[in-house]
Amino acid sequence: MSRLLESDIDLIETQLQDYEDLFIRQTGCTMEEIAQKAVGLRENTKRVKTAVISVTSGLGMITGYSQAVGAILRHLRVETLIAEKTDVAGLQQAYLSQCGIAFLADDYVCAALGIGSAVHSDNSWSTGRGFAAAIIEAMRKQGINPLQERVLIIGAGPVGEAAAHYIAEQQGIPVICDLDDNKAASLAATLDQSAWVSSPAPIRQFTYIIDAGTTGDFITEEDVTEKTIIAAPGMPCGATAAAREKAMVIHNPLEIGIITMYFDCMKQLED
């Protein structure tokens, strides 16, 4: 995972409901509903006690990260334990507290793991599918059928790959662009209905865009129109402030990925 900064997440807990309201205006769905669509889960009201465990390896803990994830889970009405201990001791605390799922993250991976069950969800996969589901529902809210609509996906890494597969499942046409043309072409070749374009991304040619990269402020006001919809899971946000004023930009640093991870686990527990 890209390493978040404290400044990226310090307002999540206080602004969650405001962001939920904005998200509903953009997509016509709650974040919970989008996450369930992303993982193919029918309406689910069951909740499993969940732990959030800090990990000290690599560059160490991100201040406020566990509290932000805990706030997101509590927003879903999930009983949540923020482990007092870290690393293996924190995992043992979660087990002894009878948690069914544990969220952990280091410099490379953010994962949700089952405690006592073979459950696993990866943040990159969940984030890609969650934001792809969001852009599809935003299109539908505006009366646009995603069938055969081209969606530019910037970045062919794990997030972009997951997004591309979801767009293809909805019978849209994912158009892949990556700094590495071979990587873009390889991803496009795995999908029945897809294409790829050379970098730099021809942003102005597309109305629907998923920014799955990690570069900030490269989508400018001149690249977009009032009809443009951008789903931007990356940090920092790829769209400039001026572009965000003009186009619809669905963006958050953590919320959709975490919520989709949780319901991915719930789906696995149902199966």
Side-chain angles (χ1 to χ4, degrees):
M1 63 177 291
S2 61
R3 186 174 172 85
L4 292 169
L5 302 175
E6 181 181 350
S7 59
D8 295 331
I9 59 175
D10 60 355
L11 296 177
I12 284 178
E13 187 166 4
T14 59
Q15 295 185 350
L16 256 175
Q17 190 56 55
D18 289 342
Y19 182 72
E20 181 79 87
D21 295 341
L22 171 62
F23 191 82
I24 292 169
R25 291 196 299 272
Q26 290 177 322
T27 68
C29 301
T30 65
M31 291 188 284
E32 178 176 327
E33 290 167 340
I34 286 291
Q36 292 188 16
K37 290 177 185 291
V39 302
L41 179 66
R42 294 181 181 179
E43 184 178 356
N44 180 283
T45 56
K46 181 182 177 182
R47 298 293 185 266
V48 171
K49 185 178 180 181
T50 299
V52 185
I53 302 164
S54 296
V55 176
T56 60
S57 65
L59 294 177
M61 296 184 294
I62 301 170
T63 302
Y65 179 82
S66 293
Q67 289 70 26
V69 174
I72 294 166
L73 292 170
R74 287 191 293 270
H75 183 71
L76 301 177
R77 307 171 305 286
V78 174
E79 183 181 357
T80 304
L81 167 72
I82 307 298
E84 297 172 0
K85 299 179 181 180
T86 66
D87 307 302
V88 175
L91 188 58
Q92 178 172 270
Q93 182 187 355
Y95 172 78
L96 294 174
S97 300
Q98 298 184 317
C99 294
I101 300 170
F103 278 72
L104 311 94
D106 62 14
D107 295 351
Y108 304 100
V109 173
C110 174
L113 305 173
I115 301 176
S117 61
V119 168
H120 165 260
S121 186
D122 176 77
N123 181 259
S124 294
W125 181 89
S126 295
T127 298
R129 289 186 68 89
F131 275 88
I135 201 169
I136 289 291
E137 296 308 317
M139 292 164 66
R140 287 177 172 147
K141 186 174 186 293
Q142 295 188 5
I144 301 156
N145 187 339
L147 180 67
Q148 298 297 307
E149 289 286 352
R150 298 190 311 157
V151 179
L152 176 65
I153 299 176
I154 302 171
V159 175
E161 180 178 359
H165 278 272
Y166 187 86
I167 295 300
E169 289 167 17
Q170 303 304 307
Q171 300 185 336
I173 301 174
V175 181
I176 318 298
C177 185
D178 192 273
L179 292 173
D180 183 341
D181 285 350
N182 290 329
K183 197 172 180 179
S186 294
L187 175 55
T190 67
L191 301 166
D192 290 337
Q193 193 163 235
S194 182
W196 68 277
V197 291
S198 295
S199 184
I203 296 167
R204 299 180 191 184
Q205 298 177 23
F206 291 84
T207 304
Y208 313 114
I209 302 163
I210 298 175
D211 169 25
T214 57
T215 302
D217 291 343
F218 72 95
I219 301 175
T220 68
E221 181 182 11
E222 291 72 27
D223 291 323
V224 301
T225 72
E226 290 76 8
K227 295 182 179 181
T228 304
I229 304 175
I230 302 171
M235 289 299 295
C237 182
T240 64
R244 280 179 270 174
E245 287 289 329
K246 189 174 183 181
M248 178 190 292
V249 179
I250 304 167
H251 171 71
N252 64 68
L254 203 56
E255 293 92 316
I256 291 300
I258 294 297
I259 293 172
T260 305
M261 290 170 72
Y262 180 80
F263 284 109
D264 184 26
C265 290
M266 296 303 296
K267 183 175 188 299
Q268 292 173 52
L269 287 173
E270 280 196 355
D271 291 344

